[in-house]
Amino acid sequence: MNGRTEAPDPEAALWEAARDARPRASELAAAVAARAEGEGLLDVAYATVESPYGELMVAVTDRGVVQLSLPNYSNEEALARLAREVSPRVLEAPARLDPVRRELDAYFSGSRSEFTVRVDWRLSHGFRGRVLHAIAGIPYGQTRSYSELAAEAGNPRAFRAAGTACGANPVPLIVPCHRVVKTDGSPGNYGGGPEMKLELLRLERAL
Amino acid sequence: MPPEVHTLPPFQQLLDEHSGDVLGFLVASVGPHDAEDCFQETFIAALRSYPGLEQDGNLRGWLLTIAHRKAIDHVRARGRRAIPVAEPPEATADQAGPRDPGLWRSVATLPPKQRSAVALRFAADMAYRDIGEAIDCSEAAARRNVHEGPEKLRKELA
């Protein structure tokens, strides 16, 4: 007990107690999301998901998957956009993403050809939204050209705009814009890179 | 009027950047055990009002202001709930020092604003001007609280 009986300097004691507690902060912070969900305050839940092509970032709302970021994209920008356009109540909540993670895993391993998770379409408006809805209807293992897609979205001449809409797809893979190819059958551009597009089409035996 | 556009960062960013300061402040204010409940209450309250927040750039100060209110409510409720036992169980070696419950019994005897001022200064390293904003007093009063608080604690602990 000797040396401990003397009262510690209160400033130092409080500072030390705070310092000692800090490592617990991230654990406690992770518990906020679950409590927020219980109170209806978790508007956008996100988590990273491993894939054969690198790390994906997936975000969901109560309506469905609102954002899927491919490995080439900045998660920070995607989250800032969600905060701006959906709700700033954005929290990392890996458990909320489990159903999406399971379906993506099965898709990448070739054992799932359709997603049952819903899509939250609120980031897709106007002609782009119509193009993205048309893409959602392209079956597994099939492809469409940009001009076919433009026609399906109601404007056959707008194939360039259809390409732009693909590039702005907030939910790639689940809204399968990799199934949209050039008229000559070559894969064309992809947000995740041309190699990823090629591999996805091979996975689906679409080539 | 154009529709309201949120310029607030994702709430997760606030958690990532400031949860250490908030927890540190709460530990200093209410003790390590009660700090965990207060931590959850602070961030849930913050999340609830976050979308309506007028962005002023000082989100850390905003969070610590909420934590300050939660800590005051907590100490007040604890005081109503139970008269603490006269003497705590004898402290073992690893409970001594900063984990000594006697420290937080002394901290709880400080007036609420002074308690927060001391904790904001020594646990969250906050500037006097920001402490004044957080506990709603002048910078001079914040400075006075921070200086007088530890003197009272020393007397309590002696």
Side-chain angles (χ1 to χ4, degrees):
Chain A
M1 294 296 282
N2 44 0
R4 294 288 191 184
T5 49
E6 205 174 303
D9 214 22
E11 297 98 317
L14 292 173
W15 181 83
E16 280 171 27
R19 179 203 57 194
D20 292 351
R22 277 171 187 265
R24 284 272 291 145
S26 53
E27 201 181 317
L28 292 171
V32 170
R35 170 110 181 247
E37 186 175 12
E39 305 212 8
L41 296 172
L42 181 49
D43 295 344
V44 181
Y46 74 92
T48 53
V49 173
E50 291 303 319
S51 90
Y53 313 98
E55 201 174 69
L56 313 174
M57 197 276 290
V58 190
V60 298
T61 67
D62 57 350
R63 298 187 203 169
V65 183
V66 70
Q67 173 86 47
L68 191 158
S69 293
L70 296 172
N72 291 353
Y73 286 79
S74 150
N75 293 348
E76 215 169 291
E77 274 173 33
L79 293 171
R81 181 183 179 202
L82 290 167
R84 210 169 47 238
E85 295 185 24
V86 179
S87 163
R89 289 182 184 140
V90 179
L91 284 170
E92 188 170 10
R96 259 295 282 286
L97 277 297
D98 281 346
V100 188
R101 187 180 290 107
R102 274 196 294 273
E103 293 203 359
L104 284 167
D105 284 348
Y107 170 76
F108 291 129
S109 71
S111 62
R112 171 175 285 279
S113 57
E114 236 174 273
F115 291 98
T116 66
V117 291
R118 287 178 303 155
V119 171
D120 180 342
W121 293 98
R122 85 179 91 183
L123 297 181
S124 311
H125 311 283
F127 181 70
R128 284 186 187 187
R130 290 205 299 281
V131 170
L132 292 170
H133 274 90
I135 292 172
I138 308 174
Y140 187 89
Q142 295 188 20
T143 58
R144 298 281 186 279
S145 70
Y146 289 104
S147 37
E148 284 173 318
L149 194 65
E152 273 185 56
N155 187 353
R157 285 175 306 169
F159 59 93
R160 260 182 234 285
T164 308
C166 290
N169 180 6
V171 198
L173 297 170
I174 295 172
V175 174
C177 58
H178 59 277
R179 292 175 196 155
V180 185
V181 297
K182 287 182 161 179
T183 314
D184 65 7
S186 64
N189 281 334
Y190 190 57
E195 305 78 24
M196 182 174 175
K197 187 171 190 175
L198 203 60
E199 285 186 50
L200 290 171
L201 292 170
R202 284 198 188 115
L203 169 75
E204 297 187 10
R205 303 186 200 293
L207 290 180
Chain B
M1 281 273 288
E4 190 189 338
V5 178
H6 293 291
T7 55
L8 296 165
F11 193 79
Q12 183 66 41
Q13 198 176 312
L14 275 66
L15 266 178
D16 292 342
E17 289 174 8
H18 306 305
S19 59
D21 281 341
V22 169
L23 184 61
F25 162 75
L26 288 168
V27 164
S29 296
V30 302
H33 179 262
D34 294 356
E36 303 202 355
D37 277 349
C38 288
F39 179 93
Q40 296 295 329
E41 283 170 25
T42 296
F43 277 104
I44 291 297
L47 186 60
R48 196 179 297 284
S49 57
Y50 189 49
L53 181 67
E54 302 279 336
Q55 169 70 284
D56 68 352
N58 186 5
L59 294 169
R60 176 174 177 269
W62 175 68
L63 281 171
L64 285 165
T65 303
I66 297 172
H68 147 70
R69 294 200 196 108
K70 291 293 172 190
I72 288 181
D73 290 350
H74 190 84
V75 171
R76 196 174 288 142
R78 195 172 56 189
R80 275 199 302 268
R81 231 177 7 248
I83 309 297
V85 287
E87 278 305 311
E90 197 153 316
T92 55
D94 68 315
Q95 285 174 320
R99 274 165 286 272
D100 179 0
L103 175 61
W104 282 286
R105 271 201 306 280
S106 308
V107 170
T109 65
L110 294 178
K113 283 191 178 187
Q114 187 163 49
R115 191 190 315 134
S116 286
V118 168
L120 287 168
R121 182 66 189 166
F122 297 113
D125 203 22
M126 212 182 209
Y128 292 112
R129 186 172 52 86
D130 296 338
I131 294 173
E133 262 173 42
I135 67 173
D136 196 22
C137 70
S138 69
E139 182 176 341
R143 196 179 290 271
R144 209 159 44 239
N145 274 315
V146 169
H147 286 291
E148 289 170 4
E151 291 309 318
K152 290 189 196 167
L153 290 178
R154 254 183 284 279
K155 278 183 202 141
E156 279 280 331
L157 288 164

